[in-house]
Amino acid sequence: KPNDKLITRARQGIETHFTKSGAADCDALLSVYESKFSDNNTDKEWLKKVRRQLKTASCTDNDFFLNLTIAMFDIEPSGDAARDIARMFLQREDYGKAAIYLENALELNLPDEDKAKSWYELGYIQYNHFKNYSDARSSARNALAIRPNWGDPYLLIGKVYVDVRETVYDEEFDQNTMFWAAVDQFAMAKKVDPEIAEKADELIQTYSRYFPSSETMFYYGLKDGQDYTIGSWINVKTKAKARK
């Protein structure tokens, strides 16, 4: 009797027992549901049910689960779903699509913690995979605006300054002044977030070696501790620092 109200209850019970029985391993679930996806990819309840069963069976590292999640997102967009999809694309090293879904997540409702993480993850993709350094810094700053005591975005900004020095300046001395701004960021990371102090110290030690010497600074009319402004789009104030 297809219209019997008890069918829904019975179906839910059967699905629950099937999922928990051990018979519903990943291969079994995929064999049952994959072929039905094209006929049900706009059926929200079907998508929810199958996605729930796959998650219960820890069957999430596959293209079918990704397609289910995207179909759910298309019907019912949410920040959480967009972040889930972005993570799955990151695992597949599809950084372009990961960035798109992180941007989608940021346009939807997210708790502040997840919003800060999304900005940072987007900034890291922009920095590490697209070499879009200006956008990477902007994303890291957006993360810090939400979570100012988080050290990782400061580390990211410092690494941006290290990597762009040769595109910002032609002269070696000017390029080396970028290490001052980078180390400022590493020091700030250590100050606000003791959990990453060791990582920050390693970066400070590494890049302090490239500071100009006292003699070179004297040649350019600078003294240790003097105010100095990095130009171009960087546009940050720092202090002149002689190599020890």
Side-chain angles (χ1 to χ4, degrees):
K1 298 180 180 180
N3 296 321
D4 194 316
K5 293 180 181 179
L6 294 177
I7 283 180
T8 300
R9 188 189 305 172
R11 182 185 293 119
Q12 290 172 346
I14 292 167
E15 289 171 358
T16 298
H17 288 298
F18 175 60
T19 303
K20 294 180 178 180
S21 68
D25 64 11
C26 191
D27 290 339
L29 289 170
L30 292 177
S31 67
V32 169
Y33 291 123
E34 267 189 302
S35 61
K36 299 179 181 179
F37 177 69
S38 60
D39 293 331
N40 293 280
N41 60 13
T42 59
D43 183 338
K44 183 170 70 172
E45 294 308 315
W46 186 88
L47 293 169
K48 280 185 176 179
K49 174 193 72 175
V50 177
R51 191 170 182 274
R52 182 172 61 249
Q53 289 190 26
L54 291 173
K55 289 185 76 171
T56 301
S58 299
C59 184
T60 58
D61 188 18
N62 56 77
D63 289 340
F64 179 54
F65 185 80
L66 173 59
N67 292 333
L68 276 175
T69 308
I70 292 172
M72 274 295 307
F73 177 81
D74 291 341
I75 295 170
E76 194 173 74
S78 73
D80 287 340
R83 277 184 55 77
D84 284 345
I85 296 168
R87 280 195 291 268
M88 286 186 274
F89 278 124
L90 279 173
Q91 290 171 353
R92 289 162 173 76
E93 299 183 356
D94 190 335
Y95 303 110
K97 288 182 180 177
I100 288 170
Y101 278 97
L102 284 172
E103 290 167 354
N104 286 334
L106 289 163
E107 292 172 359
L108 298 164
N109 290 329
L110 278 175
D112 282 350
E113 181 79 8
D114 287 341
K115 187 174 288 187
K117 288 179 181 178
S118 296
W119 276 120
Y120 173 75
E121 289 162 358
L122 179 60
Y124 188 82
I125 291 171
Q126 291 163 335
Y127 161 75
N128 200 49
H129 301 292
F130 298 140
K131 311 303 179 187
N132 193 336
Y133 297 114
S134 178
D135 285 351
R137 183 179 71 169
S138 295
S139 295
R141 285 178 168 178
N142 286 334
L144 288 170
I146 300 167
R147 188 178 164 187
N149 294 326
W150 187 17
D152 284 329
Y154 284 111
L155 297 184
L156 178 57
I157 295 171
K159 291 174 182 177
V160 165
Y161 291 162
V162 168
D163 285 9
V164 301
R165 65 190 187 283
E166 293 182 3
T167 63
V168 172
Y169 289 120
D170 295 325
E171 297 295 325
E172 183 180 359
F173 172 78
D174 293 324
Q175 292 172 6
N176 288 344
T177 64
M178 293 286 291
F179 293 116
W180 297 340
V183 168
D184 289 346
Q185 296 297 313
F186 302 145
M188 181 60 73
K190 176 182 175 180
K191 178 180 178 181
V192 302
D193 190 351
E195 290 186 3
I196 62 166
E198 185 176 350
K199 186 188 301 183
D201 281 336
E202 289 176 1
L203 290 167
I204 290 169
Q205 183 178 6
T206 296
Y207 292 109
S208 296
R209 300 169 186 163
Y210 301 106
F211 289 170
S213 66
S214 298
E215 294 79 5
T216 302
M217 285 173 52
F218 178 77
Y219 176 80
Y220 283 92
L222 290 171
K223 296 179 180 179
D224 198 41
Q226 183 176 334
D227 290 338
Y228 189 85
T229 299
I230 306 290
S232 186
W233 64 268
I234 304 298
N235 191 31
V236 295
K237 294 181 180 179
T238 183
K239 297 284 187 182
K241 305 173 186 66
R243 184 171 65 243
K244 303 299 184 184

